Structure formats: structure tokens, C-alpha cells
Amino acid sequence: MKKYAIAIHGGAGTILRHLMFTEKENMYKQGLQDAITIGEQILKMGGSSLDAVESSVSSLENFPLFNAGKGAVFTNKGTHEMDASIMDGLTLEAGAVCGVSNIKNPVQLARLIKEKSGHVFLSGPDAEAFAHKMSLPTAGPEYFYTQERFNQWQEVKETDSYQLDHTDKKENSEKKFG
Amino acid sequence: TVGCVALDQYGNLAAATSTGGMTNKRFGRVGDSSIIGAGTYANNNTCAISCTGHGEYFIRAVVAYDISCLMEYKGLSLKEACDFVVKEKLVKMGGEGGLIAIDSYGNIELPFNSAGMYRAWKNSDTELQIRIYE
């Protein structure tokens, strides 16, 4: 068998170690293990790297503790706006989407944009219309709601601050200008 | 943010990234995850990359393509390119986060400059590894 390899991430930052309880740490690790196992099985059986990354990321999107798909964070308006992209190293073809609110697996939409839209990058409601045309699964706001992300939003919603995926500190919106 | 990079048995690389963005974001803000070359990139001649972190910095540093370019044009290894971009360039800019990367030989790098990064990796020769902190 020729060599294959796979790596996944579920975001950077992380809460302070002494605040990470064993039970929750195990849940995170289970989410990572499930996702990488799906991708690895595809590679082991001779499947493509493109199928592997799409499947692993879909699994991570379906896991509510990570900030994507089902566990997406709240915007200032209390909505969810999700972005995703995918790229094929053989052909350098790519697909990307931003600002979609009701697509269960935005990475699958990114792949369909790459393969079926004739474009590279679609955004917002019209990207959702393309997803509908492609018969991708959609869901209402209740699907994307998690209590933890809601609480995170409540802490900062009246401020100009925002937060990264896994953090106990607030960022000021001016910082990005360096 | 979540992401995945992979090398298949035919030597083809791929990368994907997906995110809900930042809590309390406004004005239709878009980060690096959906931007090819910033948060996601794959090229069979070099590597596949998926990033996570403070997107504005990753966009300005064109992180994913920068690593590929350092390998393709300057001859750096995957580790050298990743360490330079994440632990020197991004740190100097003030950008917090990390990335996962695989090259065409199956080497894996997972550098980050934040407190931790939720990550897992495996190749056909080694056991599955899962880590959160350093």
C-alpha cells in the first residue's frame, strides 16, 4: 500500500487548562477521533484525498462543540453566518462559500461550487439558492443553536468585542489594524 | 473553525476548512477560512494547508499560499516553512492561531502560537494522535 496521511483541526485558542474538565476534554477528543476515522477509512480503501477532507470536515461540522456547521457561533444579530472552502491539489481547482445561514454542511456546498457552478466563490442568499438547486440539506436556526455558543454571545453582544473559537478573553475590534 | 488536509495513495493532496466565524461579528465580516490562499490551499507540488485563528491576520499574511511559496520557490521543507510563517511572521504581526499541513511525502506539521489547538493526525505507518494543548 502506498503511503497516505491525514490531519484535522477543530480550532485554535482553547480555554485555560484548569477550566477544561476531563469529561469535556474527552468529548472534544471523541469528536476529533470520529472525524479523522471517517477520512482515514476513505484513504485506506483507496479513496481520494478530496473525498476524505470533505467527509472529515462534514463530521466536524456535525459535532456541536466545534465552531462550524451545527456548533457555529452567533453573529451580533443573533444569526449564524458560515464560510467554507475546499481545494484539490492535483488540479488546483477550488470552491468556496461565505455568509450562508441554513446549510447543514457548508463544506459540501463549497465542493459543489467547485464542481458544478462554473465559479470559485459564492456568497450569501444566492449561494444558498445554489445549494437548494443542488438539493443540499438545509436547516433552520434551531439546528445551529447551542446553549454554550448562545451564552458566549450574551457576554459580548452589547459591546464592540468579539471572540475566537475557544477562548476566555475578549478581543477589541481595533486590534486587527495592527 | 474546523479543517482537514489529506494525502491519498495516488499522491494527491487536498484541503478543506469550515467555520462559523467569530462570536458577535458584524457587517458581514468574512475571515480567512473561505479565502483560497489565506486559510486554505492545496498544491500537489508542495503541500495542503488548513488554518484556524484570527482571520484578519491570516488574510493579510496570505498564510496558506505563503507556506506553499516558501517550499516551491525557496526550497524550504514543510516544517521550515510552517515554523517561519506561524511562529515568526504571524507572531510579529500579532496574529494568533495555527494550521495543519501535509506535504507530498506525507510529512505532517501542526504548528500554532496560541494556548492550544484541537488536532488529530494519522498516516498509514503510525498510530492515531489526538492533542489539544502543546
Side-chain angles (χ1 to χ4, degrees):
Chain A
M1 183 193 302
K2 288 186 179 175
K3 187 170 185 175
Y4 64 81
I6 183 168
I8 63 172
H9 70 76
T14 76
I15 61 174
L16 296 173
R17 192 161 203 161
H18 68 274
L19 296 176
M20 174 67 90
F21 299 107
T22 305
E23 187 183 352
K24 192 160 192 183
E25 186 169 340
N26 289 339
M27 288 168 70
Y28 277 117
K29 287 182 174 175
Q30 189 63 52
L32 290 167
Q33 183 171 331
D34 291 347
I36 200 166
T37 300
I38 288 169
E40 199 225 341
Q41 284 302 313
I42 290 170
L43 297 173
K44 198 174 186 177
M45 300 298 288
S48 74
S49 54
L50 207 59
D51 287 341
V53 298
E54 181 188 345
S55 296
S56 285
V57 169
S58 292
S59 175
L60 292 163
E61 288 175 334
N62 296 338
F63 185 74
L65 292 183
F66 295 128
N67 176 21
K70 189 171 175 57
V73 298
F74 285 83
T75 68
N76 182 260
K77 292 184 288 188
T79 59
H80 301 281
E81 289 178 359
M82 297 170 286
D83 315 328
S85 65
I86 192 166
M87 185 161 184
D88 182 346
L90 173 65
T91 62
L92 302 185
E93 292 174 341
V97 63
C98 72
V100 290
S101 296
N102 64 358
I103 308 300
K104 279 188 169 182
N105 293 106
V107 72
Q108 294 173 13
L109 176 55
R111 182 160 181 185
L112 285 169
I113 288 167
K114 178 179 90 66
E115 294 175 358
K116 309 266 187 191
S117 77
H119 302 289
V120 171
F121 204 151
L122 302 183
S123 70
D126 286 344
E128 291 172 356
F130 177 75
H132 183 69
K133 190 178 173 187
M134 295 287 112
S135 303
L136 269 186
T138 58
E142 66 283 355
Y143 172 81
F144 300 98
Y145 180 96
T146 62
Q147 190 64 46
E148 190 168 344
R149 295 304 189 191
F150 182 78
N151 294 343
Q152 196 177 22
W153 174 51
Q154 294 301 301
E155 287 178 21
V156 294
K157 75 178 219 183
E158 302 300 336
T159 72
D160 287 334
S161 299
Y162 48 85
Q163 289 183 331
L164 295 175
D165 287 8
H166 310 282
T167 186
D168 55 358
K169 66 183 179 186
K170 299 172 183 64
E171 303 276 355
N172 184 283
S173 59
E174 294 301 310
K175 185 185 172 190
K176 65 176 181 248
F177 297 114
Chain B
T1 305
V2 303
C4 179
V5 290
L7 171 72
D8 64 29
Q9 295 185 44
Y10 315 103
N12 294 321
L13 290 164
T17 312
S18 180
T19 189
M22 297 173 113
T23 300
N24 207 38
K25 70 172 183 172
R26 297 181 295 174
F27 313 124
R29 177 264 187 189
V30 176
D32 62 305
S33 297
S34 59
I35 299 177
I36 299 300
T40 304
Y41 191 72
N43 182 335
N44 275 8
N45 296 322
T46 55
C47 60
I49 307 269
S50 172
C51 299
T52 175
H54 198 154
E56 278 72 8
Y57 292 92
F58 282 72
I59 292 170
R60 289 161 56 200
V62 202
V63 166
Y65 186 60
D66 199 24
I67 289 169
S68 177
C69 285
L70 286 168
M71 295 175 70
E72 186 164 17
Y73 303 138
K74 214 171 177 183
L76 267 58
S77 68
L78 182 70
K79 179 174 174 45
E80 290 169 338
C82 287
D83 284 349
F84 173 73
V85 172
V86 176
K87 296 178 179 173
E88 292 186 39
K89 185 176 175 179
L90 269 176
V91 168
K92 282 178 187 168
M93 294 174 73
E96 181 182 351
L99 58 85
I100 55 173
I102 292 183
D103 69 14
S104 50
Y105 302 103
N107 297 308
I108 298 173
E109 292 293 330
L110 308 100
F112 54 95
N113 61 39
S114 48
M117 183 170 76
Y118 296 79
R119 61 202 188 277
W121 66 101
K122 166 107 178 58
N123 69 33
S124 40
D125 306 325
T126 61
E127 294 296 311
L128 171 64
Q129 302 289 323
I130 303 175
R131 299 277 191 283
I132 298 174
Y133 300 97
E134 283 280 7

